[in-house]
């Protein structure tokens, strides 16, 4: 997946420690990948480019996440 992709399934929430974060799926029409980042979501719909770290398996406490990008930058269009 490269270039602009569609933002779908956006979820904004707050962690138990009070930190806002969001997740969304980034889809190129064929494939989709989950994106995670702290803060408020810059895109609520439309298309975006995401920069960050892809992790096939990520452990956070007792939770396990698969095939997810931890975003360092999300650019909306």
């Amino acid at each position: 997946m490269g270039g602009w992709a569609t933002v779908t399934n956006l979820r904004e929430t707050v962690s138990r420690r009070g930190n806002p974060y969001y997740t969304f799926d980034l889809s190129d029409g064929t494939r989709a990948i989950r994106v995670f980042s702290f803060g408020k979501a810059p895109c609520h719909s439309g298309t975006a480019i995401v920069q960050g770290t892809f992790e096939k398996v990520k452990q956070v406490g007792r939770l396990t996440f698969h095939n997810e990008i931890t975003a360092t930058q999300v650019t909306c269009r």
Side-chain angles (χ1 to χ4, degrees):
M1 191 179 302
W4 294 96
T6 303
V7 173
T8 61
N9 299 319
L10 173 71
R11 290 176 214 80
E12 290 185 289
T13 192
V14 177
S15 73
R16 288 183 189 174
R17 294 184 178 188
N19 299 313
Y21 70 92
Y22 60 95
T23 63
F24 62 88
D25 294 333
L26 195 63
S27 174
D28 66 0
T30 303
R31 304 170 288 175
I33 190 163
R34 175 63 44 106
V35 176
F36 166 88
S37 189
F38 284 107
K40 292 285 218 176
C43 308
H44 289 253
S45 62
T47 57
I49 289 179
V50 173
Q51 294 177 342
T53 303
F54 172 78
E55 293 181 82
K56 188 169 178 133
V57 178
K58 178 172 79 171
Q59 289 289 141
V60 179
R62 291 184 282 166
L63 301 175
T64 302
F65 301 93
H66 297 275
N67 300 319
E68 184 175 85
I69 295 173
T70 300
T72 54
Q73 182 175 350
V74 177
T75 304
C76 308
R77 178 166 74 171

